[in-house]
Amino acid sequence: MNNLLLPIASLIGAGLVILGLMFYRRSQHATGSGFGHFLRRNGVFVSSYLILSLLGWIFFMIILPQLYMVDFSFSHNLPPSKIGGPEDVYTTQNYEYLLFGSPGSEDAFNWLHLKVFLRTILAAVVVTIIDLALCYPVAYYMAQSASSGKLRMMALCLLLPFWVNEILRAFAFRILFGSGGVFNNVLMGMGLIDQPVDFIRADVGLYAGLSYAYLLLMIFPLYNAIESLDHSQIEAAKDLGCPWWRVHFEVVMPFAKPGIASGCTMVFMLSCGALAAPQILGGPSSLWFTQIIYQWFNTGGNWPLGAAYALVLLVVCIIFVMAVMRLFKVSFGEIIK
Amino acid sequence: MSANVELENLNIRFGDFHAVKDVNLNIRDGEFFSFLGPSGCGKTTILRAVSGFNDPTEGAIYIGGENMLGSGPNERPTALVFQSLALFPLMSVADNISFGLKVRGVGKVQRRKKADELLEMIALSDQGDKLPSELSGGQRQRVAIARALAVEPKVLLLDEPLSALDLKLREHMRTELRRIQQRVGITFIYITHDQGEALTMSDRIAVMSHGVMQQVGSAQDIYDNPATSFVASFVGENNPINGTVIAAEEGYVSLKTDFGELRGRNERGLQPGDRATLFIRPQNLCLSERGDFDNCIQTTVNDQEFEGEFEHLYLAGDSRNLVVSLINDGAIPQFSNGSPISVGFHSDRAVVLPAGEMAYE
Ligand SMILES: Nc1ncnc2c1ncn2[C@@H]1O[C@H](COP(=O)(O)OP(=O)(O)OP(=O)(O)O)[C@@H](O)[C@H]1O
Ligand SMILES: [Mg+2]
């Protein structure tokens, strides 16, 4: 373990505590402020409990683990006996490995991993687009056309399947798309094909499984956004000459942009980070980047390398999302709304 | 090409609810036509049927002689100004106005030119780049009208467009609307439950109640010669006196009422024995001693109210107070509450109609 991590972590922890104390002191003077009001309403004991547990949560669950990961990613992979020894110094070799491969290799770049990385991002984009295309009509129907009875029915139908756990769902898809699966049987029964199609190798199962897994995360932000659109605006657009499809492009989608953005962001991020579905549904030749990360942590036993890979994935995903949001002129504040 | 709007035997039902009943109407090209009626009488329903948002259950709608059955709102030569305005909040005022042209594939330069023209017409020339939310209520109102006019409809439909505005602005917008209509010269179909609006702006008015069209005519016509008790009691102030017809001759009927025998015009061919209501307007009732009247009503004073130009007397009537509006000439006596009074009117100022639904609760 490096000797830098502990001081940094304790510094941040101390900072949070000092911040809390400052707020507390201030609140004793300015009781009219929001914080003073909060204190008076809940009492000192309950408020300090609430604040400490919140700060504790942020510190122990979010900041500390990520700091460890960052620390790991810049470390050498050393056996426990050497940790803290003279060889335990910071290095960028893990990141270099992702880019250039092992020092002894012939290729200039680590094409194997970089390709998987790019393919993962691309596949996540495709999954996001599939989900958007599937969910937009449903969300629109639920938000603007359905009666309240139908709406409740649909919400239930959408929610119930998600009680089935992820692994089970993935295997069910595998059976569905397998060479002796339902789809092949139906297609062959109808005489459309005479040989079973290998849906799994073609990654059809993977895309279907991933799209299905994150359906709800797309539908609900979309529904929320479209629901707040005044129906008379849709009618106004029609009245001014829009055919139905144009109403969507000109009026509904621009209005629902924040919802579309937050749905897409969530689906994209989670698809990039998915592990179970690619493991179970991915074709034999296709590897998801998370699977490589998993291998480094697990069978590879190289945590620093795994941490570096995971961080690269995280940072690139964030940058990608920011760039796309910039392109479509959506601000971050709008998404959180 | 003419752009008259014909409603032929129009019936609209929502499930069991009969919202519009047997409406037959021909709205002429270039006319400012109003539908007037209390809330829930089916005005919006008719307008939405004309613009294509709901289909007639029975009957047909013709615009310029063409049956509109099967044409969607985007295919009809109409434009609707919504009760809620429904401006697009994310588009600038100019983009809102030129939206319909954009949809029709008109180029950017031309669009902007047309928007500028319309902005000038609604006196908002320098506000084209603002968002609708940055305008005042009255300005938004005008933008909504300009947006509808931009597509050069043959018929402009307006659903209570002034109801959200305060009184001052509403009165200003009345003249403004009338000016715009005369300038563009197209048919306006205007919906309101405010009779002041309907009377001041319209060429003709249709008065509606519970989905039934009660009367169609000019403002003057509807005010002076109401066709039903509903119209008489809904348009303008009116005093109803109930009774039974005892004699009918030469366009007049005599009515036996709580105040003795009263005479009024017989516009609807009433016969002796019919239940009827006589309507006399507050300004047509005078103090009996001030003239020589055919009809006299002896009753008592309930209240006296000073208004400036007018003074209003509230007298005990047969069902509700009789209102008498006297021009304040400085010689109106003060009545104590409960004191007896005699008021009179000329028979040609009163109209007698078959007893029927009233606009009062
Ligand atoms: N989609 C609908 N389904 C069922 N009933 C409806 C529907 N639309 C309107 N109605 C009913 O039809 C009647 C007439 O409604 P409409 O909106 O035409 O009234 P309106 O005259 O425009 O009233 P207001 O002045 O309040 O706007 C109302 O009683 C209303 O409840
Ligand atoms: Mg209405």
Side-chain angles (χ1 to χ4, degrees):
Chain A
M1 186 56 40
N2 282 296
N3 37 18
L4 258 174
L5 180 69
L6 271 177
I8 291 179
S10 47
L11 260 178
I12 293 180
L16 287 175
V17 170
I18 289 170
L19 219 66
L21 277 177
M22 257 167 54
F23 267 120
Y24 180 72
R25 289 288 289 280
R26 181 112 58 81
S27 72
Q28 284 182 322
H29 298 296
T31 37
S33 76
F35 188 73
H37 182 72
F38 173 76
L39 258 187
R40 252 178 300 128
R41 210 180 48 193
N42 297 308
V44 177
F45 181 74
V46 177
S47 344
S48 43
Y49 172 74
L50 284 175
I51 291 167
L52 281 181
S53 56
L54 183 70
L55 292 182
W57 168 267
I58 293 176
F59 182 68
F60 286 108
M61 297 291 164
I62 302 175
I63 296 178
L64 200 59
Q66 293 307 322
L67 271 180
Y68 265 102
M69 278 297 135
V70 174
D71 183 74
F72 263 130
S73 74
F74 287 103
S75 305
H76 291 283
N77 190 26
L78 298 171
S81 58
K82 289 196 181 160
I83 286 177
E87 287 166 59
D88 193 358
V89 289
Y90 284 120
T91 168
T92 54
Q93 71 169 30
N94 298 316
Y95 294 93
E96 284 163 26
Y97 186 91
L98 171 58
L99 273 181
F100 308 115
S102 57
S105 78
E106 286 139 40
D107 284 334
F109 290 100
N110 186 358
W111 283 123
L112 181 68
H113 287 177
L114 285 176
K115 260 190 200 151
V116 171
F117 182 75
L118 285 180
R119 208 171 46 217
T120 302
I121 300 265
L122 212 69
V125 170
V126 172
V127 168
T128 309
I129 291 171
I130 292 175
D131 264 352
L132 182 60
L134 280 178
C135 294
Y136 179 83
V138 178
Y140 178 81
Y141 178 79
M142 282 169 56
Q144 292 286 342
S145 307
S147 62
S148 66
K150 273 196 197 129
L151 178 62
R152 246 169 292 153
M153 216 28 228
M154 288 187 74
L156 201 67
C157 290
L158 282 170
L159 278 172
L160 276 184
F162 285 85
W163 290 4
V164 178
N165 77 56
E166 198 187 350
I167 309 277
L168 208 61
R169 226 182 308 135
F171 275 110
F173 266 80
R174 192 169 180 107
I175 295 167
L176 219 60
F177 286 108
S179 55
V182 178
F183 278 105
N184 273 317
N185 282 343
V186 169
L187 287 177
M188 291 210 300
M190 291 194 314
L192 289 176
I193 50 174
D194 41 31
Q195 290 262 322
V197 178
D198 194 347
F199 287 120
I200 299 291
R201 184 177 290 278
D203 278 342
V204 175
L206 176 62
Y207 285 116
L210 277 177
S211 307
Y212 184 68
Y214 303 123
L215 216 58
L216 287 187
L217 292 172
M218 184 63 95
I219 284 200
F220 284 114
L222 280 182
Y223 170 80
N224 263 336
I226 299 175
E227 209 256 343
S228 61
L229 174 65
D230 180 6
H231 192 72
S232 63
Q233 277 179 34
I234 296 168
E235 291 190 332
K238 276 188 199 156
D239 191 58
L240 291 168
C242 279
W244 66 268
W245 55 270
R246 208 149 170 194
V247 173
H248 290 282
F249 286 108
E250 301 279 355
V251 176
V252 186
M253 282 185 189
F255 186 86
K257 211 160 66 177
I260 296 176
S262 72
C264 287
T265 308
M266 279 198 274
V267 171
F268 173 76
M269 287 294 207
L270 287 172
S271 302
C272 280
L275 182 62
Q279 200 103 293
I280 298 165
L281 289 166
S285 61
S286 79
L287 206 56
W288 210 253
F289 196 66
T290 44
Q291 285 172 280
I292 298 180
I293 297 173
Y294 184 70
Q295 278 167 12
W296 285 132
F297 274 108
N298 197 26
T299 41
N302 193 340
W303 281 43
L305 209 47
Y309 274 40
L311 276 175
V312 168
L313 181 64
L314 178 70
V315 169
V316 170
C317 282
I318 290 175
I319 291 172
F320 182 79
V321 165
M322 300 282 230
V324 174
M325 269 166 41
R326 190 76 177 265
L327 190 68
F328 287 101
K329 300 199 180 74
V330 193
S331 76
F332 201 66
E334 281 177 290
I335 290 193
I336 297 171
K337 255 196 318 197
Chain B
M1 171 164 172
S2 113
N4 64 322
V5 178
E6 257 183 286
L7 310 182
E8 192 182 272
N9 190 30
L10 188 68
N11 277 280
I12 298 169
R13 288 193 182 84
F14 298 108
D16 289 339
F17 183 74
H18 205 162
V20 175
K21 297 171 191 157
D22 295 319
V23 170
N24 283 288
L25 191 62
N26 185 1
I27 298 167
R28 295 190 273 263
D29 193 9
E31 192 169 28
F32 197 120
F33 191 94
S34 295
F35 282 98
L36 173 64
S39 188
C41 70
K43 306 176 300 279
T44 300
T45 308
I46 291 187
L47 208 69
R48 287 174 62 82
V50 173
S51 53
F53 287 111
N54 50 26
D55 292 325
T57 319
E58 281 163 46
I61 295 166
Y62 299 89
I63 299 177
E66 216 174 303
N67 194 339
M68 285 292 126
L69 186 71
S71 317
N74 53 339
E75 296 157 338
R76 300 195 181 190
T78 59
L80 179 58
V81 179
F82 288 77
Q83 198 159 356
S84 60
L85 303 188
L87 293 174
F88 305 124
L90 304 177
M91 295 180 202
S92 72
V93 166
D95 285 346
N96 259 287
I97 292 178
S98 54
F99 181 82
L101 301 174
K102 182 178 168 197
V103 172
R104 283 164 176 72
V106 176
K108 212 168 188 166
V109 180
Q110 249 181 314
R111 265 183 357 233
R112 184 72 213 198
K113 204 170 135 245
K114 180 84 186 179
D116 285 341
E117 259 172 55
L118 283 160
L119 279 168
E120 200 196 312
M121 185 179 83
I122 58 171
L124 288 177
S125 287
D126 46 350
Q127 324 257 345
D129 294 322
K130 285 189 177 174
L131 288 175
S133 56
E134 293 165 338
L135 297 180
S136 74
Q139 291 171 332
R140 277 205 283 273
Q141 191 66 62
R142 282 178 277 166
V143 172
I145 293 167
R147 182 179 71 175
L149 286 174
V151 301
E152 296 180 356
K154 289 181 188 159
V155 183
L156 188 71
L157 308 164
L158 303 109
D159 190 354
E160 308 202 31
L162 307 186
S163 57
L165 306 182
D166 62 53
L167 186 69
K168 248 305 188 338
L169 202 54
R170 211 152 60 210
E171 278 168 2
H172 170 72
M173 283 302 295
R174 280 183 200 172
T175 32
E176 191 81 348
L177 264 179
R178 188 68 201 172
R179 183 181 67 85
I180 291 172
Q181 195 257 344
Q182 269 152 10
R183 185 151 157 190
V184 294
I186 60 171
T187 314
F188 272 39
I189 302 182
Y190 188 88
I191 280 190
T192 178
H193 59 244
D194 178 340
Q195 44 168 308
E197 273 173 25
L199 294 177
T200 48
M201 294 192 290
S202 326
D203 295 316
R204 282 194 307 156
I205 301 168
V207 182
M208 306 235 346
S209 153
H210 296 300
V212 177
M213 207 168 61
Q214 301 270 335
Q215 185 176 6
V216 184
S218 67
Q220 188 102 42
D221 210 21
I222 280 176
Y223 190 83
D224 290 340
N225 304 310
T228 65
S229 293
F230 179 84
V231 177
S233 56
F234 187 70
V235 181
E237 276 286 324
N238 230 334
N239 294 304
I241 300 169
N242 297 314
T244 313
V245 177
I246 48 178
E249 84 287 337
E250 293 161 18
Y252 284 88
V253 279
S254 295
L255 219 56
K256 186 173 169 300
T257 71
D258 291 358
F259 304 101
E261 194 181 314
L262 297 174
R263 241 165 70 89
R265 287 182 288 132
N266 182 10
E267 300 284 352
R268 298 281 305 275
L270 288 162
Q271 295 297 319
D274 291 346
R275 296 282 306 151
T277 308
L278 178 141
F279 289 94
I280 178 77
R281 297 210 178 264
Q283 69 273 28
N284 292 331
L285 279 170
C286 300
L287 299 175
S288 294
E289 72 250 25
R290 296 258 182 116
D292 187 17
F293 298 104
D294 325 344
N295 301 282
C296 267
I297 297 172
Q298 315 283 340
T299 180
T300 55
V301 179
N302 278 346
D303 203 2
Q304 185 168 10
E305 190 181 272
F306 178 76
E307 198 213 272
E309 292 93 335
F310 285 98
E311 209 158 334
H312 305 290
L313 297 175
Y314 296 91
L315 314 179
D318 58 357
S319 53
R320 53 206 309 278
N321 275 344
L322 297 177
V323 186
V324 181
S325 297
L326 302 171
I327 291 178
N328 185 9
D329 54 3
I332 300 172
Q334 283 296 315
F335 296 94
S336 56
N337 290 356
S339 62
I341 188 173
S342 172
V343 290
F345 60 91
H346 294 293
S347 295
D348 61 345
R349 298 293 168 85
V351 57
V352 182
L353 297 166
E357 181 206 0
M358 300 270 198
Y360 321 113
E361 295 77 43

